[in-house]
Structure formats: structure tokens, C-alpha cells
Amino acid sequence: MPEEPDWLAGKRAETSVPVHPLIADRWSPRALDPGAEVPLEHLRALFEAARWAASHGNTQPGRYLVGRRGDDTFQRIFSTLRPGNQSWAGSAGALLLGMVRTVDKRGPIPNAEYGLGLAVQNLVLQAVSLGLVTHQMGGFDREAVHAAFDLPPDVRPVVVVAIGTVGDVEDLPEDLRGREVAGRLRRPLGELVFTGEWGTPAFE
């Protein structure tokens, strides 16, 4: 296995208190290795992790289409991406399309997108545990997805996720290289978590 480039160490999250390494090490690269494959057993593990996510009343609204690089499903998902995402996502070992069922036999499914979000977070953390990386995208044509896969009317496409291993930054378009190696930033907890009333930080 090749040595990790020095800049990759800077991608670990700098947290105010220690968090699990799976969380600290999760990030969203665009530089993916075009020769690396995602084994079927790894894909199965990712979707098994997603299957066991919490959902509203165990409605499990998440549905997925997945293709591995070189197959027809991969190409059809890829064809729906916006050009900016197409400039790098073709190097992924797999592309998955995350969707929600919006209705079941009881009627409209509450909090369907929240359920899919929980499932996809399980999936991406499982990917980290297997030495894989993921990049989630909202930049795709939802009408094209419906046409390409003849989706039922009660299914709504939400996200495309590229899955693979880290590749060479130099393979990215020039305008993306700086973003790839830059440090990661998040708002401080004081701007996000309040107590007593809105705007009063729960943590200094």
C-alpha cells in the first residue's frame, strides 16, 4: 500500500474534545483513485450498516441504487451529475443514489429524509472503518434520475454518494486542488448549541 501523502494528516477533524476516530477521519475527498475497486463484500457491509440505522417508527424509508465503475448503473447515475461533479466522480469505485420512499401502507412516511440521512451517515462511517472514503452530492438532475431508472412516483431521489479510495490530487481539475488539501473548518459549538434561551451557548 502506498504511503499516505503528508497533507492527508491535516484532514483529521480538530475537535474541542476527543471524538471517535471514525468521525474525526471522515471527510469528503474528490481526488479518488481511478484504479481502485470497491469489493462487493465492502458494498454489502455499507448497506448493512445503513439498514440498521434508526428511522421514524422503523419505517426505513431509504432506498438505493448502486453501480460499480464500468457497469451500466454507474454510468447512468454518473450521467445525471452536474458537470462540476462529473469532473472528478468518474474515478469513484462505486456510485450510489440515495432515495426515499415517501408513502407506505399507513400513508405518508414522516421524516423520510431524516431517516435516509441517518442511514447514509451509518454507511459513510462504515466506509471509513473499511479504509474507504465517500463524497455526498446534491448536484444532480433529479428528473433525469427518474427517467433513467423509471422510479415509482412515491420515490424521491435525494443524494448521490461517490465511494472509493483517496487518489492523487494532481489528477483533479486545477480549480479543485487547493480545496482538496486545505484544512477542514466547522463552526464552534458556541454558535450551534444553546441552553436556557436562543443564543446562549451551552458550551464555552
Side-chain angles (χ1 to χ4, degrees):
M1 179 176 289
E3 258 185 59
E4 287 188 348
D6 292 339
W7 61 265
L8 200 52
K11 287 299 185 177
R12 172 168 278 221
E14 294 185 13
T15 56
S16 61
V17 294
V19 299
H20 197 285
L22 291 180
I23 297 170
D25 290 339
R26 186 221 60 80
W27 68 292
S28 302
R30 292 178 178 86
L32 302 173
D33 183 346
E37 296 186 358
V38 180
L40 280 175
E41 60 268 27
H42 283 12
L43 276 181
R44 185 180 186 120
L46 299 188
F47 288 108
E48 192 64 30
R51 185 169 77 98
W52 285 98
S55 64
H56 187 120
N58 198 28
T59 45
Q60 301 176 58
R63 297 293 185 275
Y64 313 91
L65 279 159
V66 62
R68 297 166 79 200
R69 189 193 318 109
D71 73 20
D72 177 66
T73 302
F74 183 103
Q75 187 54 43
R76 282 191 281 162
I77 295 173
F78 179 81
S79 72
T80 71
L81 297 178
R82 291 182 185 157
N85 288 328
Q86 287 187 345
S87 71
W88 58 267
S91 293
L95 289 175
L96 75 87
L97 176 66
M99 303 159 286
V100 290
R101 290 300 296 256
T102 58
V103 177
D104 66 12
K105 61 185 179 183
R106 294 172 289 185
I109 297 176
N111 301 313
E113 287 195 14
Y114 184 75
L116 176 66
L118 291 172
V120 171
Q121 184 71 351
N122 269 20
L123 184 150
V124 300
L125 294 178
Q126 180 68 26
V128 175
S129 79
L130 294 170
L132 300 169
V133 292
T134 58
H135 190 115
Q136 301 168 64
M137 297 169 271
F140 66 97
D141 185 330
R142 285 149 179 81
E143 289 185 6
V145 165
H146 269 278
F149 294 102
D150 194 23
L151 300 184
D154 66 326
V155 170
R156 185 167 70 248
V158 176
V159 66
V160 173
V161 184
I163 306 166
T165 57
V166 175
D168 188 345
V169 173
E170 294 303 312
D171 291 339
L172 286 175
E174 188 174 353
D175 62 322
L176 294 178
R177 294 174 195 165
R179 292 168 63 183
E180 193 75 355
V181 300
R184 298 169 59 205
L185 298 175
R186 288 294 189 275
R187 296 180 185 276
L189 288 180
E191 293 183 15
L192 304 174
V193 188
F194 308 135
T195 189
E197 61 185 23
W198 181 267
T200 302
F203 306 102
E204 293 300 328

